[in-house]
Amino acid sequence: LARLILEQPSTNLSYLEGNVQRIEEGWDDTKKKAQDRLNLLNETKDSFIGYAENNETIATEFEIAEDEIKKVKKHFNLDAANADLKKRQDLYKKSNDTITGLFQLNKFLLQLHGYYNPRGQEEDSVQGNKGG
């Protein structure tokens, strides 16, 4: 092949130029892909560094929050508050049951009144009272 190129340089020059051009394009493409991979690796590394730093910050914030919760528990005595809440809920339930029972009793008495005092007799008694 080299002998043919040397013997006919003008004919084979275009062949060589085509090969050189393909090699250059392949090299440029390979170089671009390598740069893209390097950028991706650098971004991944930065993400891991940021993640590690944020983990430390989050852990610190959780420790602060736990300390605050302990202070609140000591200050407000949450066990006593839960017992008080239970008492209040029981009192509400008892009062609500009593009121609901009174409404049901009232409804029953109204029905009973309607049963023993039909409308016709009621009108007669009302008219009788007017006349008397």
Side-chain angles (χ1 to χ4, degrees):
L1 181 65
R3 199 174 280 164
L4 287 174
I5 293 171
L6 291 174
E7 290 174 3
Q8 299 173 355
S10 61
T11 312
N12 293 319
L13 190 58
S14 63
Y15 172 75
L16 286 177
E17 287 175 355
N19 282 338
V20 168
Q21 185 178 4
R22 278 184 284 171
I23 290 171
E24 285 176 347
E25 288 172 0
W27 176 254
D28 289 342
D29 186 45
T30 302
K31 182 179 173 185
K32 183 183 179 318
K33 287 180 182 179
Q35 286 176 340
D36 290 344
R37 282 191 205 116
L38 180 61
N39 288 337
L40 180 62
L41 287 172
N42 283 329
E43 289 173 3
T44 303
K45 180 185 86 171
D46 292 342
S47 295
F48 274 109
I49 290 171
Y51 177 76
E53 290 172 355
N54 284 336
N55 271 349
E56 292 172 10
T57 303
I58 291 170
T60 303
E61 291 299 321
F62 268 109
E63 289 172 5
I64 292 170
E66 286 175 352
D67 290 342
E68 291 297 319
I69 289 171
K70 287 176 185 175
K71 289 177 188 176
V72 168
K73 283 182 178 179
K74 286 180 185 175
H75 182 69
F76 289 105
N77 193 0
L78 293 180
D79 293 332
N82 284 334
D84 184 57
L85 175 64
K86 176 71 173 134
K87 264 199 266 182
R88 289 173 189 267
Q89 287 173 335
D90 290 343
L91 182 62
Y92 168 77
K93 183 179 180 333
K94 183 179 175 186
S95 298
N96 190 37
D97 290 347
T98 301
I99 291 170
T100 303
L102 289 173
F103 277 116
Q104 289 175 348
L105 178 63
N106 188 33
K107 183 178 176 182
F108 173 74
L109 290 175
L110 287 174
Q111 288 174 348
L112 193 62
H113 178 72
Y115 177 75
Y116 284 111
N117 190 10
R119 272 229 179 271
Q121 290 177 357
E122 186 178 309
E123 290 174 1
D124 291 341
S125 66
V126 170
Q127 289 174 1
N129 287 340
K130 287 182 182 178

